[in-house]
Amino acid sequence: LSNLAVYFDRLRQYNKDGILSEESGGCRVAESWQSVRGRLSIFQKGETAPNIREDRALLGQIAVPLPAGLLSQRDFLGGRPAEWLIPARCDRRFAVLYFHGGGYAEGNLAYSRVMGTLIAQNGRIPTVLLDYRLAPENPFPAAIDDAAGAYEALLRRGFLPEHIAFAGESSGGGLAAAAARAVLDKGLP
C-alpha cells in the first residue's frame, strides 16, 4: 500500500508541476485518484487490507492520459503484453524496458504509465512497459523470466544490446537488476 500512496502522491505532484496538464488530460488522473481514494481510506485506519485481487482492481482503475506528442502502441514481448510509449521525435534504435513496482504482486500497464510517460517524454526515448506475471499465482522466478524474455525479444527485433536500458521503480528496480543478471547468466549480450 505504501507504494500506492507514494504513486498517487507522485501523480498529484506531476499534475501540480504541469507535467500532466489539464490540456493533456491530467484532470482525468485526479478523477481516477478520487474514485479509488475512498476505498483506500481503510489503510489509514489500520484495518486489514483487502485481498490482493481487490488491490489489483483498484490499480486497474488508474487512467493516465497520454500527453500530446506521445504515441501508445500495444505489443507482446517474450509472450507478455506490453505497451510502447513513443515520443514524436526520438531515435527508435533505442529503448527503455520499464518494470513497474508493486512488490512483485501488484501493478499493471496502467500503473506503469505515469513513470513510463515521464521517461519517454523527458528522455525522448521509446519506452516499453512490460506486464510481467505477478505473485503469488506466478512464483519466483516468473517475473525475472518475463523480463529476460522481453529483452531477448528486443534483441530478436534488431535492437543492439547497448541500445537497451532496463529501468524500474521500487520492486521494478529490483526486477531490472535481476533481469540484467539473468541475461548475463544466459550468456546474452
Side-chain angles (χ1 to χ4, degrees), residues 52-84:
I52 201 162
R53 285 189 179 88
E54 291 172 352
D55 260 4
R56 289 177 183 167
L58 289 174
L59 285 175
Q61 291 180 20
I62 297 169
V64 179
L66 285 177
L70 200 60
L71 170 72
S72 169
Q73 194 171 36
R74 294 290 177 151
D75 200 354
F76 281 86
L77 287 177
R80 297 300 306 159
E83 180 181 13
W84 285 91

Side-chain angles (χ1 to χ4, degrees), residues 1 36-51 54-55 58:
L1 170 70
V36 298
R37 186 175 179 178
R39 285 183 252 171
L40 293 174
S41 65
I42 63 164
F43 293 111
Q44 296 166 356
K45 296 176 186 172
E47 296 176 18
T48 304
N51 69 41
E54 291 172 352
D55 260 4
L58 289 174

Side-chain angles (χ1 to χ4, degrees), residues 169-183:
E169 46 89 19
S170 194
S171 59
L175 181 54
R181 180 76 253 169
V183 298

